[in-house]
Amino acid sequence: MDTELTMETIACPDCDLLQDIPPLPPGGKARCARCGEMLVHQRVDPLNRPLALTVAAALALLLANTTPLMGLSAVGRESSTTIMGGAYEMWLQGSEITAVIVAFCAVIAPAGHILFMLAVLLAVRRPPAPRWVGEMLRSAHFMQPWSMTEVMMLGILVALVKIAQLATVIPGVGMYAAGAFVLLVSAVMVTFDPREVWKRVEWADGRPPPELVEAATDGSRR
């Protein structure tokens, strides 16, 4: 029974071979016995490190949306705007669809992704995690492809190159914060392991996760 609780059965994504994966040490990897495809990579700190990075990303996103993205100075006139301010100006100029897309992909989707990740990472700190954690994790996975802050940053860089000869561009705090947000989100995705979350989520029938049962059994034996 102990062996069944500590082993995890995974199908290889390439050759579909079912195989039992034993508990791995931090940094350990498991490869398919038939084709050599990597099945599992045990992160060194799959929950605490992503939580710290996610909190930092939330702060960076807050700064990116509340401080000026950049300023322009031309012919003695200066102006600055935020991300939402730029979307609002598009709306006023008649580009409603573009304004909505920019607001969703540059503000709403990144904020939703970070909020869902924070909810997941905070809830699993005291296992067993409630079942709604699974829904939060699915929602974060859904929001991630729509979070296109890096695309916005690329568009800004292209625009800066084009208008550099016409006006003086002054990068604002929001631009640096948006760049930091892109890097932090990438770091979260590299260090986060959703398997560790699912191991701590309460089962649909109300049973605690098998890992917790095993831990409690080992503790009682000692």
Side-chain angles (χ1 to χ4, degrees), residues 61 107-118 136 139-140 143-144:
L61 183 63
V107 179
I108 299 175
H113 180 220
I114 290 300
L115 288 176
F116 289 137
M117 287 294 297
L118 280 175
M136 294 292 102
S139 299
M143 282 293 187
Q144 183 185 356

Side-chain angles (χ1 to χ4, degrees), residues 70-184:
M70 63 179 178
L72 294 177
S73 177
V75 199
R77 301 181 61 182
E78 296 183 359
S79 63
S80 61
T81 186
T82 60
I83 298 176
M84 285 302 297
Y88 180 66
E89 288 296 328
M90 292 180 185
W91 182 278
L92 294 180
Q93 294 176 11
S95 302
E96 292 88 356
I97 297 178
T98 304
V100 171
I101 293 175
V102 170
F104 180 77
C105 294
V107 179
I108 299 175
H113 180 220
I114 290 300
L115 288 176
F116 289 137
M117 287 294 297
L118 280 175
V120 169
L121 291 170
L122 289 173
V124 298
R125 293 183 65 83
R126 299 186 104 186
R131 281 176 287 173
W132 56 261
V133 169
E135 295 299 327
M136 294 292 102
L137 188 59
R138 294 188 186 96
S139 299
H141 182 71
F142 172 79
M143 282 293 187
Q144 183 185 356
W146 295 101
S147 178
M148 300 184 182
T149 308
E150 65 279 3
V151 178
M152 181 197 69
M153 293 296 296
L154 180 61
I156 290 174
L157 292 176
V158 173
L160 291 180
V161 172
K162 291 185 176 181
I163 66 177
Q165 298 179 352
L166 304 176
T168 301
V169 180
I170 306 171
V173 176
M175 182 174 294
Y176 295 109
F181 173 76
V182 172
L183 296 177
L184 287 168

Side-chain angles (χ1 to χ4, degrees), residues 24-89:
L24 299 175
K29 299 179 181 179
R31 295 186 178 274
C32 177
R34 181 158 61 186
C35 67
E37 175 71 13
M38 189 173 71
L39 301 176
V40 177
H41 179 199
Q42 184 66 37
R43 304 293 196 273
V44 175
D45 191 357
L47 295 178
N48 293 326
R49 187 175 298 177
L51 177 59
L53 292 170
T54 303
V55 172
L59 295 176
L61 183 63
L62 182 62
L63 284 175
N65 285 280
T66 56
T67 57
L69 195 63
M70 63 179 178
L72 294 177
S73 177
V75 199
R77 301 181 61 182
E78 296 183 359
S79 63
S80 61
T81 186
T82 60
I83 298 176
M84 285 302 297
Y88 180 66
E89 288 296 328

Side-chain angles (χ1 to χ4, degrees), residues 195-214:
R195 292 173 56 254
E196 293 298 324
V197 173
W198 288 113
K199 288 179 181 179
R200 291 165 169 78
V201 175
E202 186 182 56
W203 285 35
D205 57 3
R207 289 184 297 163
E211 287 78 5
L212 298 183
V213 175
E214 179 194 0

